[in-house]
Structures are given as C-alpha cells and as structure tokens.
C-alpha cells in the first residue's frame, strides 16, 4: 500500500511539475529574446492553461516584433529617400550659390 501511494504521488507530481518546468523554460527563453521557442500546451488543467497563456503571449510578442521590423524597414527606406533628395538639392543649389560669389570679384574689378 505504501509503494502504491508513493508511486501515485510520484505520478501526480510528474503530471504537475513537468508542464510547469516547460512553462518556466519557455518563459525564460522568450524573456531572453528567443522567439523561435515552440510552446506546446496539451490538456485542460491549470498547467495546460498556463502553457496556453505563455503560447498566446509568445505569438503576440512575435507579431509585435514583426510590426516593429516592418516599421523600421519603412523608416530606413524613407530616410534613404530623404538623404537622396537632400543630395539632389545640394547638387542643384551648389552652382546657383557659387555663381553670385563668382560675380562679386568681377563687379569689384569693374568698379576699379
């Protein structure tokens, strides 16, 4: 009877501890920035619900990171286009600003 109780206790502890360990390991990996982790939630008990919540959090975090990456890509493209436009403006305006400066010495000689 004691052996059966010990075996039953070990089985129950394993049913609770293993899913909790998986949840903790998944949460730590996600917290460290590893979004490649796969969170498997099986069953309908409290530990399974915890794993489902971690899985949902993981999916939401991946979605947010994807949106941020898309935004960064858009900003990078926009910045490059603005820089190219600025270079075009500099190229167009440089001869126009240099022309009055070149005319000043000629005007000084004409006044002499």
């Amino acid at each position: 009877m004691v052996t059966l109780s010990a075996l039953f206790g070990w089985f129950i502890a394993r049913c609770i501890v293993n899913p909790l360990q998986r949840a903790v390991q998944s949460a730590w990996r996600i917290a460290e920035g590893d979004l490649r982790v796969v969170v498997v939630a099986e069953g309908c008990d409290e530990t399974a619900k915890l794993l489902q919540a971690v899985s949902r959090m993981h999916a939401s975090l991946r979605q947010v990171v994807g949106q941020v990456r898309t935004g960064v890509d858009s900003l990078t493209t926009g910045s490059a286009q603005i820089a190219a436009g600025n270079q075009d403006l500099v190229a167009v305006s440089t001869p126009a600003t240099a022309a009055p400066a070149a005319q000043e010495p000629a005007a000084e000689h004409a006044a002499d």
Side-chain angles (χ1 to χ4, degrees):
M1 184 65 140
V2 172
T3 305
L4 183 60
S5 295
L7 185 61
F8 184 69
W10 175 80
F11 177 74
I12 293 296
R14 244 177 106 73
C15 289
I16 295 170
V17 171
N18 283 347
L20 286 175
Q21 284 178 337
R22 283 199 327 260
V24 168
Q25 288 171 350
S26 296
W28 274 112
R29 287 180 62 190
I30 292 168
E32 291 172 351
D34 184 2
L35 297 180
R36 298 169 298 158
V37 64
V38 177
V39 182
V40 178
E42 298 170 343
C44 58
D45 60 356
E46 287 77 12
T47 54
K49 289 178 183 177
L50 174 63
L51 281 167
Q52 289 168 355
V54 170
S55 177
R56 190 171 187 182
M57 176 191 65
H58 173 255
S60 294
L61 188 57
R62 284 181 66 118
Q63 183 178 11
V64 168
V65 169
Q67 291 170 346
V68 169
R69 281 188 182 143
T70 300
V72 167
D73 290 344
S74 295
L75 284 173
T76 301
T77 301
S79 296
Q81 291 172 347
I82 290 171
N86 286 342
Q87 290 298 325
D88 290 345
L89 286 174
V90 167
V92 169
S93 65
T94 300
T97 58
Q103 293 174 357
E104 287 178 17
E108 288 177 12
H109 289 295
D112 288 336

